[in-house]
Amino acid sequence: MRYFIKLAYNGTNYHGWQVQPNSSTVQETLNKALSVILNEEINTMGAGRTDTGVHAKEMFAHFDYATNLEIETVIHKLNSFLPKDIVIKDIISVHADAHARFDAKKRTYKYYITTEKEVFLENLCWNYSQKLDVKLMNQAAKILLNHTDFQCFSKVNTDVNTFNCIISEAYWSQENQLLIFTISADRFLRNMVRSIVGTLINVGLHKLSLTEFNSIIENKNRNEAGFSVPAQGLFLTKIEYDYL
């Protein structure tokens, strides 16, 4: 039996999603909890990676188990066993070939900036008080939809077959003191969203023109793009599948 598990987590205390030696990760913590609750070794496959300090309001992973689960009971046990910064939202029985990573059709991230010092959101957004031209930043964000190769926003020396991503939406919105960047695509490269946000901030500071922003994408050079904003403001907020 294959199951999808839907979870959310505060990434502050973790070195990202993916299991890695000598570091606490969300995947490792989830694997250990499932293995204890189900009395056998369970290894999950996540829908993607989140980096150190990045959060997820919605993450999916899949795992295999030999028999039918009493889903509500397992969810309750997991949430009692897991630390307070990880919560299980649902467990869903899926077909045997379902794949949390490869079957995902669309992923959405949001990046949160607070324009005023906010002590209650310290690890959940980035405090940035300089005046930004949000209208110009939104014009630049629309340029992203005209491109598919985003090598300029990818972490250098990343082992990928392609730098192509299909971005379906990218825009800024404001809610009181919060400035929020939303971006959706079929896939994302490592560090892509954080470097896009940093580059768009340079547009908002009038350090980059719209023409220069477009040229950065066309030139495919990470050194020409802007800085990478801090991790704590980034949230994976939605993953979409045809069958969920």
Side-chain angles (χ1 to χ4, degrees):
M1 299 286 293
R2 177 155 292 186
Y3 293 92
F4 269 33
I5 188 165
K6 180 181 178 182
L7 65 151
Y9 53 85
N10 182 321
T12 302
N13 296 320
Y14 299 98
H15 286 78
W17 161 263
Q18 188 165 320
V19 171
Q20 52 186 296
N22 305 316
S23 297
S24 176
T25 68
V26 179
Q27 185 182 31
E28 177 190 37
T29 304
L30 178 61
N31 288 350
K32 286 181 178 178
L34 280 166
S35 299
V36 169
I37 299 300
L38 300 180
N39 293 311
E40 66 176 68
E41 185 175 352
I42 302 293
N43 291 300
T44 59
M45 168 60 71
R49 298 178 181 179
T50 54
D51 292 333
T52 299
V54 175
H55 317 291
K57 292 185 178 181
E58 181 173 279
M59 168 63 99
F60 283 94
H62 75 249
F63 66 93
D64 296 326
Y65 189 63
T67 61
N68 288 321
L69 293 177
E70 294 183 8
I71 288 175
E72 293 302 321
T73 300
V74 173
I75 291 173
H76 177 76
K77 288 182 177 180
L78 282 171
N79 282 328
S80 298
F81 187 87
L82 285 163
K84 293 180 179 179
D85 48 14
I86 302 175
V87 61
I88 305 304
K89 299 286 191 178
D90 202 0
I91 297 175
I92 306 147
S93 178
V94 293
H95 60 86
D97 296 326
H99 200 287
R101 179 184 173 191
F102 297 139
D103 292 354
K105 299 299 183 184
K106 183 178 178 181
R107 298 164 170 88
T108 299
Y109 281 89
K110 290 182 182 287
Y111 193 87
Y112 292 85
I113 296 173
T114 178
T115 57
E116 301 173 6
K117 188 173 181 180
E118 177 52 80
V119 295
F120 298 111
L121 298 174
E122 182 180 357
N123 294 318
L124 301 174
C125 63
W126 180 42
N127 176 231
Y128 190 81
S129 57
Q130 290 193 53
K131 180 68 175 177
L132 295 170
D133 187 337
V134 178
K135 182 178 179 180
L136 193 64
M137 289 161 66
N138 262 324
Q139 291 177 35
K142 288 181 180 179
I143 293 173
L144 294 166
L145 277 64
N146 299 330
H147 296 271
T148 54
D149 188 322
F150 296 102
Q151 184 173 353
C152 67
F153 298 126
S154 174
K155 195 167 187 176
V156 178
N157 298 323
T158 298
D159 184 19
V160 293
N161 294 323
T162 176
F163 293 99
N164 287 352
C165 308
I166 300 173
I167 296 178
S168 53
E169 61 179 352
Y171 62 90
W172 292 89
S173 57
Q174 189 136 21
E175 298 176 10
N176 299 318
Q177 83 277 18
L178 284 178
L179 186 59
I180 305 163
F181 179 63
T182 301
I183 185 168
S184 299
D186 60 336
R187 63 190 289 267
F188 287 92
L189 305 167
R190 289 192 65 191
N191 211 51
M192 178 175 166
V193 179
R194 290 164 61 193
S195 58
I196 286 176
V197 172
T199 310
L200 288 172
I201 284 174
N202 283 341
V203 173
L205 293 170
H206 295 165
K207 292 182 177 181
L208 284 175
S209 68
L210 296 179
T211 300
E212 289 170 328
F213 181 78
N214 189 71
S215 295
I216 286 170
I217 303 172
E218 291 180 339
N219 293 341
K220 304 178 183 180
N221 187 337
R222 178 65 185 92
N223 292 328
E224 294 183 14
F227 65 103
S228 181
V229 291
Q232 74 265 21
L234 184 59
F235 287 74
L236 174 61
T237 60
K238 193 169 183 60
I239 305 174
E240 298 178 36
Y241 299 87
D242 286 340
Y243 45 79
L244 292 184

